[in-house]
Amino acid sequence: TTAQVLHRHMCTHTGEKPYQCTHCDARFARNHILQVHMRIHTGEKPYQCTQCDARYSDRSNLKTHMRTHTGEKPYQCTQCDARFTTAQVLHRHMCTHTGEKPFQCTQCDARFTQPTTLHRHMIIHTGEKPYLCTECDARFAQASDLQRHMRTHTGEKPYLCSQCDAKFALAHQLKLYMRIHTGEKPYHCKHCDAKFADSSNLSKHIKRQHSQS
């Protein structure tokens, strides 16, 4: 009825939330929002993707998911040509243009443009190492660190030299090796004209030739 519609609208002004979850303390201004929330507790996911087995508790989440199949990216950056599937991802992208860093560490003054970057940073404070090697007891803070470590077990060497048949497990190993071909020596001794391809060789040179007795 008109009175009910008016009452629901008035809740936006008064802040009244008459619909309470029976499983937790959450309250809502509208009953249908409560019903969607209840699916968190019941596990109900009535909205199914027609292209795969994915299911969702909310119609809007299904709509967003469908864009992974259709390729639709309706949210366009006003500063560059980048397009995104959701407004939230667009907002995070805009931080790269504005310099805004809305995600702040609770332990120090560090700020970040992306929540994932903040999460990685927080591991510095917590010491958490959730990524466990299945072959040994090694643990890592980042999935990428575990992936690199696993190559010590598998022997995988995905980084190939473009000049010869040499292969390496790590990108920085290939970069260092390539200097054999290019002749690049970016590490300069500040005491003489000597140059080196590797920082460790520079350190050895300084210790041997220039260290004070």
Side-chain angles (χ1 to χ4, degrees):
T1 65
T2 302
Q4 290 173 327
V5 174
L6 175 59
H7 180 262
R8 286 198 298 268
H9 168 75
M10 289 303 295
C11 288
T12 63
H13 298 295
T14 64
E16 181 187 2
K17 296 181 178 180
Y19 300 98
Q20 182 170 2
C21 177
T22 56
H23 291 81
C24 68
D25 294 332
R27 301 185 69 97
F28 303 92
R30 298 190 178 183
N31 183 54
H32 79 272
I33 301 177
L34 170 61
Q35 297 309 311
V36 172
H37 165 82
M38 288 297 293
R39 292 171 187 152
I40 296 174
H41 301 294
T42 64
E44 182 189 7
K45 295 181 178 181
Y47 301 101
Q48 182 170 3
C49 176
T50 57
Q51 305 296 316
C52 69
D53 294 332
R55 301 185 70 98
Y56 297 90
S57 60
D58 187 288
R59 191 192 306 272
S60 62
N61 290 338
L62 172 60
K63 183 178 179 180
T64 298
H65 165 79
M66 289 302 296
R67 292 172 184 151
T68 64
H69 297 295
T70 64
E72 181 190 8
K73 295 182 178 181
Y75 299 94
Q76 182 168 3
C77 176
T78 57
Q79 304 297 315
C80 68
D81 294 332
R83 301 186 70 97
F84 303 92
T85 56
T86 68
Q88 182 182 24
V89 178
L90 170 60
H91 177 73
R92 289 201 295 265
H93 165 79
M94 289 301 296
C95 292
T96 63
H97 296 296
T98 63
E100 181 188 4
K101 296 181 178 181
F103 302 98
Q104 182 169 3
C105 176
T106 57
Q107 304 297 317
C108 68
D109 294 332
R111 301 184 70 96
F112 303 91
T113 58
Q114 305 291 337
T116 52
T117 311
L118 171 59
H119 177 72
R120 288 197 297 269
H121 166 81
M122 288 301 295
I123 291 173
I124 296 173
H125 299 295
T126 64
E128 179 188 7
K129 294 183 178 181
Y131 300 98
L132 175 65
C133 176
T134 57
E135 302 295 329
C136 68
D137 294 333
R139 301 184 71 98
F140 301 91
Q142 305 293 339
S144 57
D145 293 336
L146 172 59
Q147 184 181 34
R148 286 192 290 269
H149 165 79
M150 289 302 295
R151 292 174 189 148
T152 64
H153 297 296
T154 64
E156 181 191 8
K157 295 182 177 181
Y159 299 98
L160 313 182
C161 177
S162 59
Q163 305 297 316
C164 67
D165 295 332
K167 300 179 181 180
F168 301 90
L170 302 176
H172 81 268
Q173 293 173 332
L174 172 60
K175 183 178 180 180
L176 179 61
Y177 175 81
M178 286 300 295
R179 291 171 184 155
I180 295 174
H181 296 296
T182 64
E184 181 189 8
K185 295 182 178 181
Y187 300 99
H188 299 203
C189 178
K190 63 182 180 180
H191 303 288
C192 67
D193 293 333
K195 300 179 181 179
F196 300 90
D198 188 335
S199 60
S200 62
N201 290 335
L202 172 59
S203 297
K204 293 175 185 176
H205 163 79
I206 293 175
K207 184 176 292 186
R208 286 196 304 264
Q209 302 296 328
H210 304 294
S211 62
Q212 297 179 353
S213 57

